[in-house]
Amino acid sequence: MKTKKIEQVLTPPAPHMVGDGFRVHNFIPYGKGMSMERMSPFIMMDYNSKFYFSPTDELRGVGVHPHRGFETVTIAYKGKVAHHDSSGNSGVIGEGDVQWMTAASGILHKEYHEEQFSKEGGDFQMVQLWVNLPAKDKMTKPKYQGIINSEINKHKLPNNDGIIEVIAGEYNGTPGTATTFTPVNLFNAKLNKGATATFNFPANHNSALLVIEGSIRVNDSENVPADNFLLFANEGEEFTIKASEDSIVLILSGEPINEPIVAHGPFVMNTQEEIIQAFDDVNMGRFGYLE
């Protein structure tokens, strides 16, 4: 099996605040060659690298905002986030948990630090991905997959090397917990120092990794430290990571959706007319109501 070549390693860009609760590095889209199309179906990645938030009685976060045309995937590593939406859904995303929200036809949403976490303060570390939907599914009914860590299928590596948490897709016969509209693999590789793990994805799938904790060596050729993002070229199927220290690595790979992408703020559609319709629908109250 041919080895996937490394296309580039990206250091974290300067952080910016999303609302007052999320201090993020934006890896997708990012700079030359890292467009939404290049990483499709992953059209946005915000990474809140580990950051200490001081105690407060105010709930930091992002106020009411709409989404249409895609899914948001929130992966919590440190801290807790609460959320509400216009369909009446609410909940808390705790450490190790994943929230997979299909905004699809439209939803109003807000997310903020969970109350007890806010009062106590602490380290906060999360990833939010936007996963595009094909045109035929963009106007389906919104839904949630709230996945607590104990529900995530885990593949144990031999020799006590660690585990692969299979959020979506499949790893060596272990199926992912989340359902997806198009082929997507999303894993947390939790590796002990010196451990090696091998991954295989189709050559045409867009594949990358983000080092959450520790540091790794990829294909025995590239050292990648914490908070760095590695993009693979679209050739070859297999790559190997070796943990230089105890490490957590987010692995993502997906089949590109080869359709036009027209994005404007919280809407990702296929045409400008659909974007205009989305704004009109929000203004007319068709996304529901949320305080």
Side-chain angles (χ1 to χ4, degrees):
M1 192 167 288
K2 190 177 177 184
T3 299
K4 275 191 182 296
K5 290 187 177 180
I6 297 167
E7 185 166 307
Q8 58 178 322
V9 176
L10 302 175
T11 57
H16 66 275
M17 294 299 295
V18 176
D20 61 359
F22 306 96
R23 177 186 178 273
V24 302
H25 310 278
N26 183 225
F27 278 112
I28 306 171
Y30 170 27
K32 186 178 179 181
M34 277 295 290
S35 64
M36 289 181 169
E37 288 81 4
R38 174 63 185 89
M39 275 307 298
S40 174
F42 310 104
I43 50 176
M44 196 280 291
M45 176 193 273
D46 273 346
Y47 172 47
N48 193 128
S49 58
K50 191 184 296 181
F51 182 79
Y52 178 79
F53 281 96
S54 59
T56 177
D57 290 329
E58 299 294 323
L59 298 181
R60 300 183 178 102
V62 181
V64 177
H65 56 281
H67 289 304
R68 172 178 279 180
F70 59 96
E71 303 180 284
T72 67
V73 182
T74 304
I75 307 168
Y77 296 99
K78 300 283 185 185
K80 292 183 178 181
V81 170
H83 65 93
H84 283 82
D85 75 23
S86 53
S87 297
N89 297 299
S90 63
V92 174
I93 311 163
E95 292 186 11
D97 300 344
V98 175
Q99 182 209 63
W100 200 297
M101 182 181 82
T102 304
S105 63
I107 206 165
L108 299 179
H109 189 239
K110 63 179 179 179
E111 49 208 327
Y112 44 91
H113 294 184
E114 184 267 338
E115 185 175 2
Q116 194 61 36
F117 174 80
S118 294
K119 288 180 178 179
E120 295 176 359
D123 287 336
F124 191 86
Q125 186 178 26
M126 302 210 176
V127 167
Q128 185 170 96
L129 281 167
W130 289 8
V131 181
N132 203 9
L133 291 170
K136 66 182 181 65
D137 297 315
K138 282 187 178 292
M139 295 300 287
T140 55
K141 185 179 179 181
K143 68 172 185 175
Y144 277 91
Q145 299 175 78
I147 307 168
I148 61 174
N149 188 262
S150 61
E151 296 172 344
I152 298 174
N153 294 331
K154 298 171 179 68
H155 183 95
K156 290 186 178 180
L157 297 172
N159 306 315
N160 196 35
D161 279 353
I163 60 169
I164 309 296
E165 294 182 345
V166 189
I167 299 167
E170 182 265 339
Y171 181 80
N172 286 0
T174 300
T177 303
T179 60
T180 64
F181 286 82
T182 60
V184 169
N185 288 284
L186 191 62
F187 312 149
N188 274 320
K190 297 184 173 181
L191 305 179
N192 296 322
K193 181 179 178 179
T196 298
T198 299
F199 301 86
N200 296 286
F201 303 122
N204 70 312
H205 284 204
N206 292 325
S207 303
L209 61 80
L210 173 66
V211 181
I212 303 293
E213 295 279 354
S215 59
I216 60 172
R217 188 167 176 82
V218 181
N219 291 342
D220 200 28
S221 65
E222 185 84 34
N223 294 319
V224 188
D227 302 335
N228 278 230
F229 180 96
L230 183 147
L231 174 67
F232 290 98
N234 292 104
E235 53 180 293
E237 299 81 25
E238 183 176 282
F239 65 90
T240 299
I241 62 176
K242 182 174 183 179
S244 306
E245 55 189 306
D246 291 353
S247 298
I248 300 173
V249 185
L250 178 64
I251 310 286
L252 55 154
S253 183
E255 181 178 72
I257 299 171
N258 293 315
E259 297 175 352
I261 297 174
V262 180
H264 194 291
F267 308 128
V268 182
M269 303 301 290
N270 299 105
T271 68
Q272 188 64 35
E273 290 74 20
E274 290 170 331
I275 295 291
I276 294 169
Q277 184 64 54
F279 276 102
D280 185 55
D281 288 347
V282 169
N283 292 334
M284 294 298 292
R286 298 185 183 116
F287 279 41
Y289 177 75
L290 184 64
E291 289 186 350

